Amino acid sequence: MTGNQSGALRILLIDDDEAVRQTVGMMLSDAGYEVIEADNGKSGLREIESRSPDLVISDLIMPDMGGIEAIQEIRKMQPGLPVIAISGGGRTSNYEFLDIAEKLGANAILAKPFDPEEIVAAVERVRRQ
Amino acid sequence: MVLKRAMELFGSRADPAPAPRKRRHADPAQQLSGNEPSPADPDLSALENALTKISQGRTELVTGRVQLLKFDRLRKRFGSKWDRLADRVLMIIQMAIGRRLADDDVFIRHGDLGFIILFASLSQEQAELKCALIADEVAKRLFGSDVTSDDFEIRTATTTVDGRIALQRADNLEDLLAEMAAQLDKTDVEFVTDPQTEVEDGSGIDNEQTEMSALAYRERTPFKASDLDYVFQPVWDVSLKALSTYGCMPARRENARILALGEAAIPNDLLPLEMLELDRAVLRTAVSELMLALDLQRKCLISIPIHYSTLGSAQRRQLYLSECRDLDDSGRTLLLFEIVGLPDGVPQSRLMELSVSLRPFSRAVLARCLVDENDFQKYKAAGITAVGFDASAGAYSEAGLMKEMEKFVERAEKHGLQTYLLGASTLSLNAAAIATGVTYLTGPAVTSVTDQPKNAVRFNLNDLFGIPT
């Protein structure tokens, strides 16, 4: 992963929860990354085509295409694009969804709620892979 | 103005309404001359003047075609309850009228409980008879009894000698009602329910079977259960990770393709007896398949929808449940009933009555609600096991539905109820349902319908997303 023209890694953050996008987006920006956002899997795929992110962080439970389907499509479009799956906004345990995401090739999984350092650490880990 | 526009449309037709024939008992003294205004009713006079003006000399467009149907006398029968029930009564009347009209017919409200109806293609006699049928349906729905001339008034547009329109009272109402009764093929079965219940919960009663054989000019083809197919949709028990229940439902098919499933397959103008026929057809299909499954030692449960309009009448409910009597105890423990079409705000006592009637024949009783239902205490108290909603039925976006679903599940679980979701056609909605804690899922995105229930099989998230193991 080499980053875009400015040198900063471009991360696409896909989550239907605006509060999550703001909080996680701020954490990543503070860590020196360029962040672009999408609020569901469909618009996320459009951003991948038009903005060529270097890494994708995707929630799994979203309307109008969730993260599992989005990861399946990403693996067809750009098999090598790193993906971090995040989940945990529902009332029940979402570890089963995270397991599925891993099976589909997510490079890392993270259960919500997580500390700011955890998401930044996950990005660093995936960059080094 | 609606009346004026309707006149324009009628004016464009080649033929005027058939000329009215003389009434059998017409009293010549009652015929209006040009010098006799309609007595003692300024509203009526104003309407007559308006009709005269609109017809613009072409009174043949109006004569016989325009009927004024008045229900103002009903107010007295309700007495002090009128204020509380007025809106519902008005709804019942308007529905009864709407059901009887052909595409080209028009009706508008006149005053509190008056309705001006323009019949495009009927003779005066036919129009009057149709008005009498409307009044009869309203009386049955409201009071559980046949209509009498005390309940309503029909006035027919006629032309006076000086070319004015007059709304003449149909003075042969008793003959009209007798003629209607003679035309109807009465059966031995009388469907009577508590009139107060009819108005409050809107279920109504109709002697529909008697009407089905009457009236050459009826505008709809009666529904037959054989018009539809009956299929089984697998239901996923999310916590057990198994497809172990099959929901029997009607379907409209063309060749091998399913065009509509479940409630979407059912015509939306079914009369209560037709709905009973449909519900019985679903039940017969399910019971037959259940008995076959028992013989073949297949392990599965079968759930069937039953409409509130079938359950709401004691007679219809009895006819329905008679289909279950052949099912022995082992069969009954594999059957689930789902009550569909519950009216908004259904009282707990009513819910309990319906649930209690079904429980002896089933493993559990479920109830389909709207996603914004918030009184789950009464469902639990009535012995309902699970509550669910149809994702395809509302006007929410998927994002909105997900939010509502989370609240629905939380409210239901607080009262110890399981939950189910039908009709979700996307993986994202199903995933959200699982994350929210919905117990059972069924719909096209889970798996396809089958013609027969099958043995229970394992089904997990990998299967939902089509991921090979």
Side-chain angles (χ1 to χ4, degrees), chain A residues 7 21 25 29 38 46 53-55 58 64 70 72 76 85-86 101 111 120:
Chain A
R21 292 200 306 272
S29 299
R46 283 197 294 270
D54 303 300
L55 185 147
S58 178
D64 305 321
Q72 286 174 310
K76 289 180 204 164
I86 60 176
V120 174

Side-chain angles (χ1 to χ4, degrees), chain B residues 311 337-339 342 346 348 350-356 358-359 363-369 376-388 412 415-418 420:
Chain B
L311 278 180
F337 284 109
E338 182 199 13
I339 306 175
L342 285 163
V346 60
Q348 180 179 312
R350 189 77 159 137
L351 207 44
M352 169 111 50
E353 180 196 335
L354 305 181
S355 168
V356 162
L358 292 173
R359 285 221 305 275
R363 181 188 191 86
V365 179
L366 324 175
R368 195 180 303 183
C369 320
F376 286 125
Q377 185 274 332
K378 70 182 177 188
Y379 286 85
K380 182 66 179 177
I384 302 290
T385 302
V387 288
H415 295 286
L417 291 163
Q418 295 180 321
Y420 62 93

